[in-house]
Amino acid sequence: IYLEQPLRPYDLVEHARLRDRLRTPICLDESVEGTDDLQAAFALGSLDVLNLKSGRVGGPTEALRMIAACRERGLPLWCGGMLETGIGRAANVALAAVPGFTLAADLSASSRYYAEDLVEPAFALGPDSTLAVPQGPGLGVEVLTDRLERWTTSHVEVR
């Protein structure tokens, strides 16, 4: 049991002060957007647990650096999700399977948010309420381009 992000994001000092006054562990989420923020939180004593979202910290490379830092300190870690389609969910499920995550992830089946997902196979909860890590190439799922095109509202090409 812990309090997740009880104060304003980015206020590591106040989280450290609160942590000193409580017995309940503090979990940071929005306050930590990368390794630099995580190191500052460690130095200030702002957290007991980290909710790591790959998309929030800049992608899998930065997330892996942060997992290593948490493992070095024995800091409990879990993978949170947002409202991703199966494309982002595949990345999160793969991330949550990396050694170092010690708490249950907050990742859900595709059908919880979408009548139809953008990938196959769609994510479904197994009998033990878990999501299987896709085993195919890349993210392990096939992006259904017809659905992606149908649901795309804007497109920007970067060269």
Side-chain angles (χ1 to χ4, degrees), residues 4-155:
E4 181 183 347
Q5 195 66 51
L7 303 173
R8 293 180 317 211
Y10 318 113
D11 199 339
L12 297 177
V13 172
E14 288 302 316
H15 278 96
R17 287 182 181 147
L18 179 63
R19 185 173 172 249
D20 286 343
R21 298 179 70 191
L22 297 178
R23 288 189 303 228
T24 304
I26 300 291
C27 173
L28 291 185
D29 184 347
E30 290 84 5
S31 291
V32 180
E33 292 186 335
T35 305
D36 291 344
D37 292 339
L38 182 58
Q39 295 298 336
F42 287 149
L44 291 166
S46 304
L47 76 164
D48 300 288
V49 178
L50 179 65
N51 175 3
L52 182 57
K53 294 176 180 134
S54 179
R56 189 190 65 243
V57 302
T61 301
E62 185 70 2
L64 290 171
R65 285 187 197 108
M66 295 172 72
I67 293 165
C70 290
R71 286 179 69 182
E72 285 175 16
R73 289 165 180 79
L75 189 83
L77 180 64
W78 61 285
C79 182
M82 294 177 271
L83 301 176
E84 301 92 358
T85 65
I87 298 167
R89 182 70 69 222
N92 282 348
V93 170
L95 183 69
V98 171
F101 284 91
T102 56
L103 301 171
D106 180 19
L107 303 172
S108 58
S110 301
S111 61
R112 181 168 184 187
Y113 301 109
Y114 303 104
E116 64 178 13
D117 203 346
L118 302 179
V119 301
E120 282 188 359
F123 285 91
L125 291 179
D128 56 353
S129 296
T130 60
L131 296 175
V133 178
Q135 298 300 308
L139 289 175
V141 293
E142 177 186 351
V143 176
L144 302 173
T145 55
D146 60 325
R147 289 184 188 174
L148 181 61
E149 289 172 8
R150 187 171 67 239
W151 290 105
T152 297
T153 59
S154 64
H155 178 94

